[in-house]
Amino acid sequence: MAPKFHMFSNGPRPVAPFSHAVEDDGWVILTGQMPTDPAAPDAPLPEGIAAQTRRVMDNLLLILGELGLGAEHIVQCRCFLTAFERDYALFNETYKSYFSPERLPARTTVGVTALAVGALVEIDLIARRPQEGES
């Protein structure tokens, strides 16, 4: 089976040439999301790491929802912060509120010098579609 490339009209407007998600053999890879508002892509970014993290997570969940998936299907996240030392603790508090304590995805978080659109945070992820007979 060939990979499926997904782009959703109600998803965040891409800031570069990419698909919102690519799916192959039950694995779903979501492109890194920025803290932009899908309903107002030219609006200013939310202020602060907590608000930007919520917007990024909401954007990721919007895309997963279009695929019939949710946070419980996420197996791995990669997180990028432009002010790592300043924002790491508050980022963690906000991020973990999206998951059950017993179902935290594997994760890598790195500090970077800059992100597109002047964002403080970007997150991409891998999810796994349940196989037949799984919930």
Side-chain angles (χ1 to χ4, degrees):
M1 235 173 156
K4 295 179 190 172
F5 296 84
H6 301 283
M7 191 60 118
F8 302 107
S9 60
N10 69 333
R13 181 174 67 196
V15 298
F18 55 72
S19 298
H20 283 128
V22 177
E23 184 170 2
D24 192 23
D25 195 31
W27 294 101
V28 182
I29 298 98
L30 269 62
T31 294
Q33 291 300 306
M34 309 309 295
T36 55
D37 184 345
D42 295 318
L45 298 180
E47 289 289 325
I49 191 64
Q52 287 198 20
T53 301
R54 281 191 295 277
R55 180 75 261 162
V56 168
M57 291 300 296
D58 291 346
N59 287 347
L60 291 165
L61 292 174
L62 180 140
I63 295 166
L64 283 175
E66 289 288 328
L67 294 162
L69 300 171
E72 69 276 14
H73 300 106
I74 299 170
V75 296
Q76 194 268 338
C77 291
R78 289 187 305 181
C79 310
F80 306 90
L81 303 175
T82 59
F84 191 92
E85 289 187 23
R86 180 193 73 199
D87 290 342
Y88 187 67
L90 188 51
F91 166 78
N92 279 328
E93 286 301 311
T94 308
Y95 169 91
K96 76 179 183 180
S97 71
Y98 283 83
F99 301 100
S100 299
E102 64 280 350
R103 283 194 61 87
L104 295 170
R107 189 181 101 181
T108 299
T109 305
V110 296
V112 296
T113 58
L115 292 168
V117 303
L120 300 174
V121 58
E122 179 176 355
I123 303 171
D124 66 19
L125 64 80
I126 298 173
R128 180 78 171 147
R129 189 175 290 286
Q131 302 302 297
E132 197 170 314
E134 295 178 353
S135 56

